[in-house]
Amino acid sequence: IAAYSGVLRGERQAEADRSQRSHGGPALSREGSGRWGTGSSILSALQDLFSVTWLNRSKVEKQLQVISVLQWVLSFLVLGVACSAILMYIFCTDCWLIAVLYFTWLVFDWNTPKKGGRRSQWVRNWAVWRYFRDYFPIQLVKTHNLLTTRNYIFGYHPHGIMGLGAFCNFSTEATEVSKKFPGIRPYLATLAGNFRLPVLREYLMSGGICPVNRDTIDYLLSKNGSGNAIIIVVGGA
């Protein structure tokens, strides 16, 4: 909500500044000069939210961009813990068999992330990732061809808080990584602990994300054929 409010407040302030300049007067105040504004009041954010002209295409696109980023941040921070709690609750209800079946499958599937996971082109091509890309915006600039007969390790820098640029470029098709580097399969490597959380692990693997540990990297470089590119976000949050 704060991010959404910041977008609108920043736009209104920019319009006010332009209006004052057109009349020859200086801007008397300025909440924020960029896209974000201040976004400090939850009440004003709610007012902004419900005062939007929903049929305005540019406004709707900005709303979708904010929502696309918000859903990923919440998924990354909350999805695993929430699904763990839900499964434990289901285990104590009459539907306990569902939880038992999932945990049984989880035991047999435990090492799948270490072998590159299960990427889904359908998930990687979701329209939500294009709105995610446009929010920042994010670009992938090709400067060199990659041979499909080799495997690669790429360092990604800087990390940032959540590595959102690395995720958008290499775990989705929003910046058309597969078209720019045909025959190359990118694997974004992240903390192994993320793959111990139910449902979240499936969500991450569908984008081609894998654990950043020695066993996984060794497998992808030497036992999974050629054309693999492992992206390691150097440093830390």
Side-chain angles (χ1 to χ4, degrees):
I1 293 175
Y4 183 87
S5 174
V7 170
L8 297 182
R9 290 158 72 92
E11 287 179 353
R12 284 202 300 268
Q13 187 60 43
E15 291 175 359
D17 291 343
R18 285 194 297 270
S19 177
Q20 289 177 355
R21 285 196 297 270
S22 67
H23 288 83
L28 298 178
S29 65
R30 191 176 187 85
E31 289 186 40
S33 60
R35 177 178 184 175
W36 288 92
T38 57
S40 58
S41 171
I42 293 179
L43 180 59
S44 65
L46 290 171
Q47 292 172 346
D48 288 339
L49 183 62
F50 292 107
S51 65
V52 161
T53 304
W54 288 91
L55 297 180
N56 185 310
R57 181 174 179 178
S58 63
K59 296 288 187 182
V60 172
E61 287 184 352
K62 285 185 173 60
Q63 294 155 15
L64 292 174
Q65 290 169 14
V66 172
I67 291 170
S68 67
V69 176
L70 182 62
Q71 68 84 24
W72 167 245
V73 172
L74 292 179
S75 296
F76 187 81
L77 296 177
V78 178
L79 181 62
V81 175
C83 290
S84 298
I86 291 172
L87 284 170
M88 293 303 296
Y89 171 77
I90 292 175
F91 190 78
C92 300
T93 68
D94 293 338
C95 299
W96 59 270
L97 185 59
I98 296 175
V100 170
L101 290 174
Y102 180 83
F103 282 117
T104 301
W105 177 80
L106 191 63
V107 171
F108 287 100
D109 194 60
W110 191 253
N111 290 323
T112 298
K114 297 180 181 179
K115 297 181 180 180
R118 286 183 300 271
R119 71 174 58 220
S120 167
Q121 287 301 118
W122 177 65
V123 174
R124 288 174 61 90
N125 282 285
W126 278 354
V128 68
W129 307 130
R130 294 193 289 274
Y131 291 109
F132 183 101
R133 171 201 65 197
D134 294 338
Y135 175 81
F136 294 95
I138 295 171
Q139 291 182 326
L140 179 64
V141 180
K142 179 179 179 178
T143 59
H144 198 281
N145 291 322
L146 300 178
L147 298 176
T148 58
T149 56
R150 297 181 180 178
N151 290 324
Y152 299 89
I153 298 180
F154 295 141
Y156 181 95
H157 179 81
H159 188 293
I161 297 176
M162 298 177 66
L164 298 183
F167 168 79
C168 183
N169 277 323
F170 303 111
S171 295
T172 78
E173 294 297 330
T175 55
E176 300 184 332
V177 61
S178 294
K179 292 182 179 178
K180 293 177 179 178
F181 300 98
I184 299 296
R185 293 182 300 276
Y187 292 90
L188 179 61
T190 187
L191 296 175
N194 292 323
F195 297 91
R196 299 189 181 102
L197 297 173
V199 181
L200 176 63
R201 66 192 295 274
E202 276 71 43
Y203 194 27
L204 295 177
M205 285 192 292
S206 66
I209 302 178
C210 64
V212 59
N213 55 39
R214 184 187 181 111
D215 292 340
T216 304
I217 295 172
D218 179 65
Y219 178 87
L220 293 175
L221 292 179
S222 61
K223 302 175 184 177
N224 196 45
S226 58
N228 302 301
I230 304 169
I231 298 90
I232 300 177
V233 186
V234 182

